[in-house]
RNA sequence: GCGCCAGUAGCUCAGUCGGAUAGAGCAGCAGCCUUCUAAGCUGCGGGUCGGGGGUUCGAAUCCCUUCUGGCGUGCCA
C-alpha cells in the first residue's frame, strides 16, 4: 500500500523531470531502520540510462520529493539509495482507511477476473487420503482463497483417477477380502493388492448390503459391481476428509466419465493430425522428444489399452475449452518426470505452454519419537489425513502445511503437534485474536467502547509500537497480491505471525482500556479492531478458525 | 548416467525476486502477572547462508562448478 504510493510518486517525479525509466526500480523496507522506513534504488538503477551518476540523479529526485508533506524526511545514503521517513499523519490516515474497509481490507481487482483452474489433491480413489494429499489440500485451498480475494476468478478441481490399473487391483483386493469374510482360504494376500484395513471394512459393508449375491454375478458384472462400490465408497470417504479440512471443490472430474465421452479418441486424433505419433512394437507413441521431452511416450499400449497420459491430456484440454486461461496443477514430489510430456503435448497441439503451470509439493516426512515414519499405501502402512486431523486438529494441521514453502520438504513432528500445550505457532496467532476480542469485551463492559469510531481518534496514536502495527497492516494488500502472483501462500503464515508478534508486544507495553484516558483508549480500540479484522482475514484465508475465546 | 527439488543458528524454518550490519520460533540462560487472556512479553548467547569460482557499484538471492540428501527417469498412475 505505502510502497505503491511511494513508487508511484517517484515515477511521477521522474516523468515530470523528463527522465527515462526503462529499468524497473523498487521501493522496499530496509533491514536497518537507520536507513529510513522505506527506501528506493531508483537513482542507482536508472543512472546509466539517463547518462548521469546515481548521486546526481538522486539529488534531482530529492528536490522534488521533499515537497511532499507525507515525508518527514527524504535522504540520500550510501551509493545512491533514497531513504524515506514517513510522517505520523500518513500512518494515521492509513489506519482509518484500513479500519473502514473491515473484512474487505485487502480486496482488489489485481487478478482482473482471470479464470484460473486450480487442480489439486487428485488422489487415486484407492484408499484414504494421506498426508501429502492433506498438504496439497491446504496449499491449493489457501491459494484459491487468496486469489479470489485479489480479484482472480479461480476454481478448484479434483481429477478422479478412476479408470486405470490400480482400480482393477482395488476390485481384486476387495473380492479377496469378501471371500475371506465368507470363510474362504485366500492364501497369502498378494503383494500388489491393497493391504489397508479399509478394504476389509469395505468388504463388510458390501457384504451387509448384498451378501452372497455378488458371487452369483457373472465375472465381468461382478467385477464392475466391485469397482463401482469401492470407488464410490472411497471417493465419498475422501470427500468427507476434505470437508473436515474445510476444503471443497467446484468440480470433480472423473477419468472414467471422460473416457466415456470419447475425448480420448479425440485427443489421439489431434496428436495424429499434428503428425507427432508413430507405431512401434504394436504400440502407438507420442514423439514427445520433438517437443522437449527426454524420451518418447506411449499413448496406446500393445494390448490396445490407453495410458494414463491420454485422458489426462484430454482433461487439461477441457479446462481450456471451458475458458480457463491459467491452469495450475499441484503435484506431489513423485510426478515431476511427468511435466515435460504434458508441456510437449501443449506445444505439439499449438497451445501456449505457459498457460500450464505446475507447482510441486515436496514430500512430507512424519516423525514420531524422533524417527521417520515409513508410509506405503500398498502395504497398508499409512498415516491418513483423518488420523492427522484427529490428532492435531484441522487448524494446526492446515497451519503447518501452509507455513512452509511448497518446494521444500516438510518435517512434521507428530509428537510436537500432539502436545496440547504445544509450541505450535497457530496458537500464537489465534491467541492474539482471542486476546483482542477479550479486550473489546472488557471495553464494552466498562462502557468505553464507542458507538462509532471517529477518524480524529487516529491522531492519538503516535507511539512507535502503534505506528509499527499500522505499517504492518498496510503491508497486507500488497502481500496478498504477491502471494497470488507467485503462488506462495506460506508468506501469509509468516505475515500473520509477525502481525501477532507486534500486537502482543503492544499489548504488553500499553494498557488499551483505561478509564483515565478515554479518548486514547478509544484510539487504541480502533487500532485493535483493525488488527482483529486483519487477523480474521488472514486466518480465514488459511482456513483456520479465529476464536473469540481461548 | 541424466533430470527436478532442497542445503541459512543446536532444531524447524523465513528472507518482500540483486540492496546497506542475514531474521523468527523452538531449545538454553536471566527476568516480567494485586491492571484488558502469562497459549503472552523483555533481555542474553548462538552464523564460513554446504564448498569453490564468476557476473557488478552491491550476491543467501543470478551464472558455472563441486559435495551432500530426497525424488524421478515404466507399454504404472
Amino acid at each position: 500500500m505505502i510502497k505503491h504510493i511511494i513508487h508511484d510518486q517517484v515515477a511521477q517525479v521522474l516523468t515530470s523531470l523528463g527522465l527515462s525509466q526503462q529499468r524497473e526500480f523498487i521501493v522496499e523496507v530496509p533491514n536497518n531502520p537507520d536507513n529510513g522506513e522505506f527506501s528506493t534504488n531508483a537513482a542507482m538503477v536508472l543512472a546509466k540510462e539517463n547518462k548521469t551518476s546515481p548521486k546526481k540523479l538522486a539529488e534531482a529526485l530529492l528536490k522534488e520529493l521533499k515537497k511532499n508533506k507525507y515525508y518527514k524526511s527524504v535522504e540520500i545514503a550510501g551509493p545512491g539509495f533514497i531513504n524515506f521517513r514517513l510522517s505520523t499523519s500518513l500512518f494515521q490516515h492509513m489506519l482509518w482507511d484500513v479500519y473502514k474497509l473491515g473484512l474487505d481490507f485487502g480486496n482488489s481487482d489485481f487478478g482482473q477476473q482471470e479464470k484460473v483452474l486450480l487442480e489439486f489433491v487428485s488422489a487415486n480413489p484407492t484408499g484414504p487420503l494421506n498426508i501429502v494429499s492433506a498438504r496439497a489440500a491446504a496449499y491449493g485451498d489457501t491459494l484459491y482463497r487468496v486469489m479470489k480475494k485479489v480479484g482472480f476468478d479461480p476454481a478448484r478441481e479434483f481429477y478422479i483417477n478412476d479408470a486405470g490399473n490400480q482400480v482393477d487391483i482395488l476390485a481384486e483386493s476387495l473380492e479377496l477380502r469378501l471371500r475371506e469374510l465368507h470363510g474362504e482360504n485366500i492364501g497369502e494376500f498378494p503383494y500388489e493388492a491393497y493391504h489397508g484395513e479399509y478394504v476389509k471394512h469395505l468388504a463388510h459393508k458390501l457384504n451387509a448390503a448384498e451378501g452372497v449375491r455378488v458371487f452369483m454375478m457373472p465375472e465381468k458384472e461382478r467385477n464392475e459391481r466391485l469397482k463401482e462400490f469401492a470407488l464410490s465408497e472411497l471417493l465419498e470417504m475422501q470427500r468427507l476428509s476434505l470437508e473436515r479440512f474445510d476444503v471443497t471443490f467446484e468440480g470433480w472430474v472423473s477419468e472414467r466419465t471422460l473416457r466415456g465421452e470419447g475425448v480420448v479418441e479425440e485427443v489421439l486424433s489431434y496428436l495424429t493430425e499434428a503428425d507427432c505419433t508413430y507405431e512401434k512394437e504394436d504400440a502407438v507413441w507420442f514423439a514427445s522428444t520433438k517437443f522437449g521431452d527426454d524420451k518418447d511416450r506411449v499413448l496406446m499400449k500393445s494390448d490396445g489399452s490407453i495410458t494414463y497420459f491420454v485422458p489426462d491430456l484430454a482433461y487439461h484440454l477441457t479446462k481450456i475449452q471451458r475458458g480457463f486461461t491459467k491452469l495450475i496443477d499441484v503435484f506431489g514430489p513423485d510426478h515431476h518426470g511427468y511435466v515435460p510430456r504434458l508441456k510437449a503435448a501443449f506445444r505439439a497441439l499449438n497451445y501456449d505452454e505457459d498457460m500450464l503451470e505446475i507447482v510441486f509439493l515436496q514430500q512430507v516426512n512424519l516423525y514420531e519419537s524422533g524417527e521417520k515414519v515409513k508410509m506405503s499405501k500398498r502395504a497398508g502402512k499409512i498415516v491418513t489425513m483423518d488420523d492427522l486431523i484427529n490428532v492435531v486438529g484441522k487448524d494446526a494441521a492446515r497451519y503447518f502445511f501452509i507455513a512452509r514453502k511448497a518446494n521444500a520438504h516438510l518435517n512434521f513432528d507428530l509428537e510436537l503437534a500432539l502436545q496440547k500445550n504445544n509450541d505450535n505457532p497457530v496458537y500464537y496467532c489465534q491467541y492474539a485474536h482471542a486476546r483482542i476480542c477479550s479486550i473489546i469485551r472488557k471495553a464494552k463492559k466498562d462502557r468505553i467502547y464507542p458507538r462509532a469510531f471517529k477518524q480524529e481518534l487516529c491522531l492519538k496514536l503516535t507511539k512507535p509500537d502503534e505506528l509499527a502495527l499500522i505499517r504492518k497492516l498496510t503491508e497486507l494488500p500488497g502481500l496478498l497480491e504477491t502471494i497470488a502472483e507467485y503462488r506462495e501462500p506460506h508468506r501469509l503464515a509468516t505475515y500473520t505471525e509477525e502481525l501477532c508478534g507486534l500486537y502482543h508486544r503492544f499489548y504488553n507495553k500499553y494498557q488499551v482500556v483505561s478509564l483515565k484516558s478515554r479518548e486514547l483508549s478509544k484510539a487504541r480500540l480502533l487500532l485493535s479492531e483493525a488488527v482483529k479484522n486483519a487477523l480474521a482475514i488472514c486466518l480465514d484465508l488459511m482456513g483456520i478458525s479465529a476464536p473469540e475465546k481461548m
Side-chain angles (χ1 to χ4, degrees), chain A residues 334-362:
Chain A
D334 49 347
H335 278 64
H336 62 249
Y338 184 68
V339 177
R341 83 190 74 165
L342 260 186
K343 291 259 183 189
F346 268 58
R347 245 173 271 165
L349 297 175
N350 267 320
Y351 284 105
D352 177 9
E353 62 174 300
D354 290 335
M355 284 176 84
L356 179 64
E357 194 180 305
I358 317 271
V359 175
F360 288 102
L361 290 177
Q362 290 303 316

Side-chain angles (χ1 to χ4, degrees), chain A residues 12-28:
Chain A
Q12 263 176 38
V13 170
L14 283 163
T15 311
S16 72
L17 292 175
L19 292 166
S20 150
Q21 37 185 314
Q22 292 298 310
R23 283 186 65 193
E24 283 194 26
F25 62 91
I26 59 162
V27 174
E28 53 157 10

Side-chain angles (χ1 to χ4, degrees), chain A residues 361-373:
Chain A
L361 290 177
Q362 290 303 316
Q363 69 189 68
V364 178
N365 295 319
L366 280 181
Y367 284 84
E368 210 166 7
S369 314
E371 276 191 36
K372 204 163 159 181
V373 182

Side-chain angles (χ1 to χ4, degrees), chain A residues 249-400:
Chain A
F249 291 85
E250 280 67 38
W252 295 76
V253 177
S254 150
E255 182 183 348
R256 297 181 101 193
T257 309
L258 219 52
R259 289 192 187 209
E261 287 166 354
V263 289
V264 169
E265 290 74 12
E266 230 171 289
V267 165
L268 274 177
S269 72
Y270 291 156
L271 286 169
T272 309
E273 278 164 34
D275 202 23
C276 56
T277 60
Y278 61 89
E279 280 189 46
K280 190 179 89 181
E281 295 162 7
D282 296 330
V284 179
W285 295 69
F286 169 37
S288 53
T289 42
K290 278 198 217 164
F291 304 93
D293 201 357
D294 30 351
K295 57 184 71 169
D296 289 347
R297 307 294 173 174
V298 171
L299 299 171
M300 189 187 282
K301 305 180 211 169
S302 49
D303 67 2
S305 67
I306 223 90
T307 59
Y308 167 82
F309 174 59
V310 184
D312 191 44
L313 175 59
Y315 169 48
H316 280 82
L317 298 186
T318 71
K319 296 177 185 176
I320 298 172
Q321 279 163 13
R322 285 182 279 149
F324 291 99
T325 52
K326 196 79 188 172
L327 318 179
I328 301 178
D329 290 355
V330 180
F331 280 2
D334 49 347
H335 278 64
H336 62 249
Y338 184 68
V339 177
R341 83 190 74 165
L342 260 186
K343 291 259 183 189
F346 268 58
R347 245 173 271 165
L349 297 175
N350 267 320
Y351 284 105
D352 177 9
E353 62 174 300
D354 290 335
M355 284 176 84
L356 179 64
E357 194 180 305
I358 317 271
V359 175
F360 288 102
L361 290 177
Q362 290 303 316
Q363 69 189 68
V364 178
N365 295 319
L366 280 181
Y367 284 84
E368 210 166 7
S369 314
E371 276 191 36
K372 204 163 159 181
V373 182
K374 288 268 176 201
M375 288 179 284
S376 152
K377 197 181 263 187
R378 284 276 156 83
K381 275 188 292 183
I382 90 168
V383 179
T384 66
M385 181 165 167
D386 280 328
D387 295 340
L388 188 73
I389 301 174
N390 290 340
V391 173
V392 305
K394 182 222 17 162
D395 288 346
R398 279 192 72 134
Y399 189 89
F400 263 68

Side-chain angles (χ1 to χ4, degrees), chain A residues 152-284:
Chain A
F152 287 88
D153 181 13
R156 295 162 288 191
E157 216 157 83
F158 187 119
Y159 180 59
I160 311 163
N161 297 149
D162 52 4
N165 245 324
Q166 80 282 12
V167 181
D168 295 320
I169 296 172
L170 176 69
E172 284 163 30
S173 306
L174 178 58
E175 178 165 352
L176 281 173
R177 288 305 187 200
L178 205 54
R179 291 189 183 284
E180 194 177 41
L181 200 60
H182 284 275
E184 217 173 288
N185 180 7
I186 56 166
E188 198 178 331
F189 204 66
Y191 173 77
E192 327 76 53
Y194 292 99
H195 286 243
E197 285 295 308
Y198 61 91
V199 183
K200 292 183 189 167
H201 295 155
L202 284 184
H204 270 106
K205 195 162 176 185
L206 182 58
N207 188 50
E210 312 214 358
V212 289
R213 228 171 62 208
V214 184
F215 292 120
M216 289 152 66
M217 295 175 174
E219 188 177 338
K220 205 173 167 191
E221 213 170 301
R222 181 175 69 229
N223 208 276
E224 261 321 287
R225 177 71 194 119
L226 287 166
K227 262 192 214 176
E228 205 64 56
F229 178 79
L231 284 174
S232 69
E233 287 290 324
L234 288 173
L235 199 61
E236 181 59 12
M237 194 194 241
Q238 296 187 343
R239 202 187 57 75
L240 284 173
S241 300
L242 289 161
E243 202 170 80
R244 289 183 68 202
F245 217 47
D246 273 351
V247 177
T248 54
F249 291 85
E250 280 67 38
W252 295 76
V253 177
S254 150
E255 182 183 348
R256 297 181 101 193
T257 309
L258 219 52
R259 289 192 187 209
E261 287 166 354
V263 289
V264 169
E265 290 74 12
E266 230 171 289
V267 165
L268 274 177
S269 72
Y270 291 156
L271 286 169
T272 309
E273 278 164 34
D275 202 23
C276 56
T277 60
Y278 61 89
E279 280 189 46
K280 190 179 89 181
E281 295 162 7
D282 296 330
V284 179

Side-chain angles (χ1 to χ4, degrees), chain A residues 427-471:
Chain A
Y427 290 118
Y428 185 79
C429 300
Q430 292 182 315
Y431 188 63
H433 186 269
R435 179 172 255 178
I436 296 173
C437 291
S438 168
I439 292 171
I440 292 169
R441 282 194 295 272
K442 160 92 171 151
K444 285 182 174 161
K445 201 173 130 218
D446 291 352
R447 299 183 177 282
I448 279 188
Y449 197 91
R451 189 163 299 150
F453 287 103
K454 294 201 176 77
Q455 184 170 4
E456 298 81 72
L457 286 172
C458 297
L459 301 175
K460 294 270 176 194
L461 301 171
T462 53
K463 294 274 194 292
D465 298 87
E466 294 162 343
L467 300 180
L469 261 175
I470 298 171
R471 188 166 90 183

